[in-house]
Amino acid sequence: MYPHEPFGTTAGIPLEAHVAELRSRCEAVARVQGCPTHYLEEVRIFRAYAAESGLILLPSAFPELSRTPDDEGNEHQVWFQRETNTYLKITWPDFYGMLVLYRQDEEDRASPIAYLERWHLHNELFGDGVRFLGALEEGGKLRLIIQQQAIEGAPATLSQINDFFTSNGWQRFVANGEVAYFDSEQRVVISDTHRGNLILMDDALLAPIDLRVQPLEGALLDYVIKACRD
């Protein structure tokens, strides 16, 4: 159903292993305090993990940074790596994207842990091969670095995007004024499904390249189930 690539690694550690360890640490903190971790706590947890795991890298490790980015978006600066046919994507300082859904008492921005979980799910759901390479620290602010295989093709139409998801069992609903899709089996929602984030390849398959992906539980899960029924 989706083009498949091997899951990414950082120095031999799969992205999914980073996510599992970080989520385990969040759960440990949540058990002690009796409530889920919030944005700033997850930033602190990630910083501690990155420091002890050697994930804070120097800009000199990436020669691409010596030249102007090939593209910029709301979340990343992007450099094309011709020799490997990949894109190097680096988040803006202390910004790790947005959540699809959030409670009124929550931050609407994704934490660095939620950001990595998003890419792990992107790999699992869509056969992508995104690698987490580490983080840069600039003026006390963190920037996360991923690498993603380049995909050749053209932006899909909105009709093709909707057909792609609904024909694969995703349920369409509206979240915060945006079109979103829900997979009831995986309990996952996605958004940011605009034309630039899904590529129509030569074999007529669609390749998602940069979607917001978020697992759901509790009240948010109940909300989406109801929204899909209404």
Side-chain angles (χ1 to χ4, degrees), residues 16-206:
E16 61 188 307
H18 288 300
V19 171
E21 174 60 24
L22 288 163
R23 277 300 169 203
S24 176
R25 295 184 183 205
C26 289
E27 289 166 4
V29 171
R31 285 195 296 271
V32 170
Q33 64 188 20
C35 62
T37 50
H38 56 68
Y39 175 85
L40 290 178
E41 286 173 329
E42 294 196 4
V43 171
R44 289 194 291 269
I45 291 168
F46 176 81
R47 277 185 168 274
Y49 175 74
E52 70 184 58
S53 303
L55 293 171
I56 306 297
L57 306 175
L58 296 174
S60 58
F62 301 96
E64 291 85 0
L65 303 189
S66 64
R67 59 180 171 86
T68 303
D70 296 301
D71 196 7
E72 293 183 347
N74 293 330
E75 297 179 353
H76 306 96
Q77 289 184 303
V78 180
W79 288 262
F80 180 60
Q81 299 174 301
R82 190 175 306 277
E83 64 279 4
T84 55
N85 195 39
T86 54
Y87 286 105
L88 187 72
K89 295 184 175 181
I90 304 182
T91 62
W92 294 103
D94 276 359
F95 182 68
Y96 318 105
M98 306 295 290
L99 296 173
V100 179
L101 294 170
Y102 50 91
R103 296 187 294 269
Q104 290 185 341
D105 60 342
E106 284 186 323
E107 175 69 54
D108 59 353
R109 295 176 297 166
S111 74
I113 297 174
Y115 175 83
L116 293 183
E117 186 168 45
R118 156 193 170 176
W119 286 112
H120 164 52
L121 289 169
H122 208 282
N123 284 348
E124 281 204 326
L125 293 169
F126 306 120
D128 208 340
V130 172
R131 302 173 63 212
F132 171 52
L133 302 184
L136 301 176
E137 188 162 15
E138 299 178 357
K141 297 182 177 182
L142 286 181
R143 304 185 69 184
L144 303 193
I145 310 161
I146 62 168
Q147 185 182 54
Q148 185 176 33
Q149 191 70 33
I151 300 292
E152 294 186 4
T157 67
L158 293 179
S159 177
Q160 288 169 331
I161 291 170
N162 184 68
D163 289 346
F164 172 77
F165 287 110
T166 56
S167 65
N168 284 305
W170 294 80
Q171 297 172 269
R172 177 181 167 131
F173 69 106
V174 175
N176 302 315
E178 289 187 51
V179 172
Y181 294 90
F182 173 56
D183 183 323
S184 59
E185 291 188 8
Q186 301 286 341
R187 296 186 174 186
V188 168
V189 288
I190 59 171
S191 67
D192 208 23
T193 56
H194 62 75
R195 295 189 62 209
N197 280 341
L198 289 103
I199 301 299
L200 179 64
M201 299 181 293
D202 290 341
D203 58 7
L205 293 176
L206 265 64

